[in-house]
Amino acid sequence: MRLFASEAELTGEKVGKIVQPFIEQWRPVKVPNRKDAQTRMDPDFMLTTSALGDLTARIRTVGMNLNKSGVKGIAYHNAFQKQLIALAETFDCRGWSESAALFDDPEKVGEEPPLQLTGRVDVIWARKRVPVAVFEIDSTVKPRSFQKLKEAASPHKLWVYFGKDVWGFRTFLQKNDPGREIIAVIVPNTFIPSFEEHGEADGDTL
């Protein structure tokens, strides 16, 4: 490398400028707040209706497979994050976990100016570093998770719920998200195999 740099008369600064764009592509994408950034609704940065249907089915399958494996607690949550990030490529996206986000404190609603908190979103997908989808993964109904999703400048917002109080989860969303901005993905507690093609005998899930 030193010989190459010498022959090409490349300084450290020049090499840095060459490699920086590649490094930037791998840096985690922050979750922009819709108060500060416009949500890109171009088709290039959105999933189609059929792709969203496919995605929610795959997410449920991931959760059911984790249920079957017996993984619990934080290990379950972390495994879910990793699988969502791996799934991003299938939808022509790149995924990151624990992306920084700013959002209003849901416990201080109505205060002026609102108290803004810093937090992290479980998973974000992006294309060309433009957010396409954000995900929160929870076993309980967390107002802060909802607030992070609500304020994210992203065309798709998915709340993955793997807890037991499904009624409470649905009721919370009906009350706080009447416009249905957030896509609720509920993971059944019982494992049900999902097949790519009807009649497949080997039992491979999506």
Side-chain angles (χ1 to χ4, degrees):
M1 182 65 183
R2 286 181 181 176
L3 178 61
F4 171 79
S6 175
E7 290 179 350
E9 296 184 354
L10 292 177
T11 64
E13 183 180 354
K14 288 180 179 179
V15 172
K17 287 181 179 179
I18 292 171
V19 302
Q20 191 62 30
F22 299 97
I23 295 173
E24 286 298 323
Q25 284 300 312
W26 288 98
R27 289 191 191 280
V29 171
K30 292 182 180 179
V31 182
N33 190 293
R34 64 184 183 185
K35 294 177 183 176
D36 308 313
Q38 188 175 3
T39 302
R40 296 284 295 272
M41 302 302 286
D42 322 30
D44 287 346
F45 303 110
M46 295 181 67
L47 301 177
T48 64
T49 301
S50 61
L52 277 173
D54 183 23
L55 172 58
T56 55
R58 287 172 182 265
I59 291 173
R60 283 192 290 270
T61 301
V62 167
M64 289 186 289
N65 278 324
L66 288 173
N67 288 344
K68 186 181 180 183
S69 74
V71 178
K72 302 289 184 183
I74 191 65
Y76 182 103
H77 181 275
N78 292 346
F80 221 131
Q81 279 182 300
K82 289 178 181 177
Q83 295 211 36
L84 279 181
I85 291 169
L87 195 56
E89 257 187 59
T90 305
F91 294 86
D92 194 28
C93 295
R94 181 171 290 169
W96 290 268
S97 64
E98 303 299 330
S99 290
L102 291 173
F103 61 100
D104 292 347
D105 186 348
E107 296 178 4
K108 307 289 184 181
V109 175
E111 287 191 3
E112 291 295 338
L115 176 61
Q116 201 166 54
L117 304 175
T118 58
R120 296 194 177 274
V121 163
D122 285 328
V123 174
I124 184 171
W125 286 5
R127 290 176 184 158
K128 298 178 181 178
R129 301 192 64 77
V130 175
V132 171
V134 290
F135 305 79
E136 281 288 278
I137 308 163
D138 289 305
S139 62
T140 59
V141 180
K142 296 180 178 178
R144 289 192 178 191
S145 290
F146 172 78
Q147 199 68 26
K148 282 184 277 186
L149 291 172
K150 180 182 175 182
E151 295 188 38
S154 172
H156 307 298
K157 311 171 185 189
L158 296 92
W159 198 356
V160 181
Y161 181 76
F162 62 95
K164 296 180 179 179
D165 187 12
V166 174
W167 175 257
F169 178 69
R170 289 188 184 278
T171 302
F172 179 90
L173 278 176
Q174 287 172 357
K175 178 182 177 182
N176 294 284
D177 186 35
R180 296 188 176 183
E181 282 185 74
I182 296 169
I183 299 171
V185 185
I186 298 171
V187 177
N189 287 319
T190 304
F191 175 77
I192 304 170
S194 173
F195 305 108
E196 289 187 358
E197 295 180 6
H198 293 294
E200 212 172 46
D202 58 7
D204 288 337
T205 56
L206 289 171

